[in-house]
Amino acid sequence: MRRAIKNESKFIKAYELGKEYAEIQRLINEGKIKKISEEVYEIFSQEAVNGKGQIAHKGDFIKIDTTDLPYPNDRTFFLANHKYLQNDEYKQISHPVYIWQAYEDICLEVEFLIKNKHLVIDRESNEKYYTVPLWGTVLSAARDAYLIFYSIKKDSNGSIVDIDFNFIECKEFEKTYTIFDD
């Protein structure tokens, strides 16, 4: 696997679900966010498929990608990885992450995702090469997308016990991440 880091920026805009923001209302009006209840939202990111969005909850945050689509961030993850500046502006605290793409050899981490997180790799499809249940729905990504490993938890014997991961489409990755050598 290779490693990458999210590019530093002066700030990002993020919005806490459940609070009043014109931006969230705009996304709701455009059908990019659906308010299911006072506590639950459906977020239609690039990776949402079959008309089903990712499930997020009041208190979680959304960011907007470069294609003007929202994507959810779990509240705990967001607050641990962003510093509040003002209004809806935050500075993201970048940490190196492991990445993997389809042309690379299958590694232990990807095997774990297949076996334990129900990741499906469809070698016949370029558009839905990866499919996995995440964020309360089924997400898919194209063959050239990146798997991003936010954290890989291991037990005292070094065996993988959990992985926090997601997909990021290739164009979005190239705009927002830099790959580096260890």
Side-chain angles (χ1 to χ4, degrees):
M1 282 195 307
R2 296 172 292 153
R3 292 178 43 118
I5 192 162
K6 196 152 194 180
N7 299 332
E8 292 286 331
S9 61
K10 290 184 179 180
F11 63 89
I12 58 134
K13 291 189 176 269
Y15 308 92
E16 184 178 344
L17 293 170
K19 291 195 174 179
E20 296 293 324
Y21 288 101
E23 187 67 10
I24 288 179
Q25 190 56 54
R26 176 185 73 83
L27 294 167
I28 289 171
N29 293 344
E30 293 175 2
K32 296 175 181 177
I33 295 177
K34 182 178 179 184
K35 189 173 182 180
I36 306 290
S37 70
E38 290 301 316
E39 298 292 322
V40 180
Y41 297 79
E42 192 171 5
I43 312 299
F44 295 92
S45 69
Q46 284 191 66
E47 295 79 20
V49 294
N50 300 327
K52 295 196 180 238
Q54 299 172 349
I55 300 301
H57 298 89
K58 181 177 179 180
D60 289 342
F61 286 79
I62 60 155
K63 294 191 247 180
I64 313 298
D65 70 16
T66 59
T67 66
D68 195 42
L69 287 171
Y71 61 98
N73 275 210
D74 170 80
R75 179 177 186 77
T76 302
F77 173 85
F78 183 86
L79 293 174
N81 292 284
H82 297 82
K83 180 181 178 189
Y84 177 74
L85 299 174
Q86 63 183 0
N87 300 324
D88 52 5
E89 296 175 358
Y90 295 81
K91 178 149 179 72
Q92 184 159 341
I93 303 163
S94 296
H95 302 284
V97 293
Y98 285 101
I99 59 172
W100 185 85
Q101 281 190 289
Y103 69 85
E104 298 177 66
D105 291 337
I106 298 280
C107 57
L108 291 173
E109 291 79 4
V110 174
E111 285 180 7
F112 178 88
L113 296 180
I114 292 168
K115 190 182 287 183
N116 298 285
K117 299 287 185 163
H118 311 290
L119 173 67
V120 174
I121 296 177
D122 181 353
R123 298 185 194 290
E124 301 299 315
S125 175
N126 283 326
E127 291 181 13
K128 293 184 179 179
Y129 185 80
Y130 304 105
T131 306
V132 71
L134 273 177
W135 285 93
T137 191
V138 176
L139 302 180
S140 73
R143 182 183 303 264
D144 65 350
Y146 288 79
L147 280 176
I148 305 286
F149 296 90
Y150 296 114
S151 70
I152 301 167
K153 296 180 180 109
K154 296 182 178 183
D155 65 16
S156 59
N157 296 323
S159 298
I160 299 171
V161 294
D162 197 19
I163 295 178
D164 183 18
F165 74 104
N166 210 334
F167 306 119
I168 186 167
E169 294 294 342
C170 186
K171 288 179 184 177
E172 185 71 19
F173 180 89
E174 290 171 351
K175 290 177 187 175
T176 57
Y177 279 86
T178 300
I179 297 172
F180 64 91
D181 296 321
D182 280 332

